[in-house]
Amino acid sequence: MNHHVYLGWIASESRFDRDYFAASSQSYQFPYLYWPIYQMMRLEVPGWVAGVMWSCAHSLVAIPLWLCSKALICEDGVVETIFRLSGVVLSVGTILALRAPETTGNDLLAAIPYMFALALGLQATRRDIPGRPFRKSVVTSIYMGLLVGVGVAFKLSNGVLAPLLVVPCFFMVQTWKSRIALALSTVLSIGAGFLIVYGWWGWQLWLHFGNPVFPFADGLFQPLRSYLGWVPLY
């Protein structure tokens, strides 16, 4: 129950004027990934059906995992295909992945955009496909950044990993000027992806608490609130 159902509830109905820390600090996580859980509970979907549907959503992570394995093991022989399949099965069969649908609603879902971004980066650095145009690398870096921004919006703690997704940019092209350009485009795209997905929720938190990532780092926003003369809605 705790925040899983509560967050799905406030994804449908704003309760800032009624509740305060109803599910501890988790009350103010990005709520929209929890909406399906809330709806299935509200509609009294049988537990086994809800479990299958939720596990199917989490199993989408197998798609970028396969793309990553395809980039790392490029050959198309029978042995290579078995290695790729084994890698994917081992990845989704770890205790961390298996426990994710049971223990939390958004951890594995929030990782899926990251994995797609990583798959794009690995595909772009394959040495068996030489002569990659710079323009195509720029497009790839933008897609990577947008996906990473989505992953950070889904779960703010994913932001710790965001800088790592810049690393593939240094292997897509040969010159340092091009590498820096790709890194910048990735960083800017991360910001854009984050704002597109998190913007509405962050705006609601700002209106009510003067902090778009409330309750985290609240002291950092106090000078800005004082300077703006911020007044909460309630």
Side-chain angles (χ1 to χ4, degrees), residues 57-134:
H58 283 78
S59 67
L60 292 175
V61 74
I63 299 174
L65 282 172
W66 171 260
L67 296 175
C68 288
S69 68
K70 179 67 174 176
L72 295 170
I73 306 174
C74 307
E75 295 79 5
D76 291 321
V78 175
V79 174
E80 289 78 14
T81 301
I82 292 174
F83 273 127
R84 286 195 292 267
L85 286 172
S86 299
V88 173
V89 171
L90 287 171
S91 297
V92 298
T94 63
I95 189 64
L96 180 63
L98 291 175
R99 291 280 291 174
E102 176 187 350
T103 58
T104 185
N106 73 337
D107 280 359
L108 199 54
L109 291 177
I112 292 175
Y114 262 79
M115 293 308 302
F116 271 109
L118 180 60
L120 284 175
L122 291 175
Q123 289 285 345
T125 58
R126 286 174 56 173
R127 289 293 176 255
D128 61 326
I129 306 178
R132 183 180 180 84
F134 176 72

Side-chain angles (χ1 to χ4, degrees), residues 36-56:
I37 296 178
Y38 166 71
Q39 288 299 321
M40 286 189 287
M41 182 177 178
R42 188 178 67 84
L43 297 173
E44 298 183 353
V45 174
W48 71 269
V49 176
V52 169
M53 293 176 65
W54 201 230
S55 295
C56 285

Side-chain angles (χ1 to χ4, degrees), residues 139-140 163-164 170-171:
V139 173
T140 299
L164 296 177
F170 292 91
F171 296 92

Side-chain angles (χ1 to χ4, degrees), residues 122-176:
L122 291 175
Q123 289 285 345
T125 58
R126 286 174 56 173
R127 289 293 176 255
D128 61 326
I129 306 178
R132 183 180 180 84
F134 176 72
R135 182 177 297 179
K136 190 173 183 179
S137 297
V138 172
V139 173
T140 299
S141 69
I142 292 173
Y143 284 144
M144 286 173 54
L146 290 173
L147 287 166
V148 172
V150 171
V152 177
F154 284 170
K155 192 172 182 65
L156 293 176
S157 57
N158 281 345
V160 177
L161 300 174
L164 296 177
L165 271 297
V166 178
V167 174
C169 296
F170 292 91
F171 296 92
M172 293 183 196
V173 290
Q174 302 301 319
T175 67
W176 277 102

Side-chain angles (χ1 to χ4, degrees), residues 200-228:
W200 173 250
W201 179 246
W203 177 243
Q204 297 303 307
L205 293 181
W206 170 259
L207 290 178
H208 292 87
F209 303 108
N211 178 355
V213 294
F214 183 82
F216 306 107
D218 193 60
L220 297 177
F221 292 92
Q222 183 56 48
L224 179 61
R225 289 195 294 262
S226 300
Y227 176 76
L228 297 175

